[in-house]
Amino acid sequence: MKLTRPPARQAPETIIALIDVLVFLLVFFRLIGRMDATAPFEVTPPLALTGADMPAGGMTLSVGESGEMAVDGAPTAEPLVPLLDGLAQNPETLVRINAHHAAELRHILPLIAELEAAGAKDVALVVTPASP
């Protein structure tokens, strides 16, 4: 009886070397890559004042969740008309924007831009501090 040896199996290719190269490439690109766009000049974000009382006087613009608006508690379809009239009489008038937390920015940002173009000196965004 003649016994034959089974053919020798080839060693499987090691993928360990490829994994090492991949990790080195990831670390390399992570170190040299820029994660966010940086300004070419110094930018200091504004500080939020929480717990401070709002200054008295001025006008309050309320923006609801679906974009409905009211000026000093009176609902209006054209909120900028009374605001711009008030600013024309006194450009130092403080304008407070009290927006619902779920209101979309597309309802708020155009108002701020128009108030700025009309010469508003102070626009305050009313916020609720986070619970501790």
Side-chain angles (χ1 to χ4, degrees):
M1 171 176 241
K2 195 173 187 184
L3 294 175
T4 60
R5 290 189 174 185
R9 294 192 305 175
Q10 293 180 338
E13 292 185 28
T14 58
I15 196 162
I16 303 298
L18 293 175
I19 292 173
D20 288 345
V21 170
L22 180 65
V23 169
F24 286 133
L25 286 174
L26 286 173
V27 169
F28 174 75
F29 286 116
R30 171 87 178 179
L31 290 175
I32 68 163
R34 211 170 70 196
M35 290 292 135
D36 61 347
T38 56
F41 44 83
E42 177 85 23
V43 175
T44 304
L47 298 175
L49 297 176
T50 57
D53 292 334
M54 289 292 291
M59 305 176 83
T60 301
L61 171 64
S62 301
V63 181
E65 182 177 2
S66 60
E68 64 272 9
M69 295 183 198
V71 175
D72 289 334
T76 179
E78 291 293 327
L80 289 180
V81 172
L83 285 174
L84 296 179
D85 288 344
L87 285 173
Q89 294 171 6
N90 183 8
E92 300 294 322
T93 301
L94 170 69
V95 178
R96 284 183 291 282
I97 298 179
N98 185 12
H100 189 276
H101 70 90
E104 296 178 5
L105 282 177
R106 66 184 174 98
H107 298 302
I108 301 165
L109 292 180
L111 296 172
I112 295 172
E114 290 192 43
L115 289 170
E116 181 184 30
K121 301 287 185 210
D122 291 317
V123 177
L125 299 175
V126 180
V127 297
T128 303
S131 300

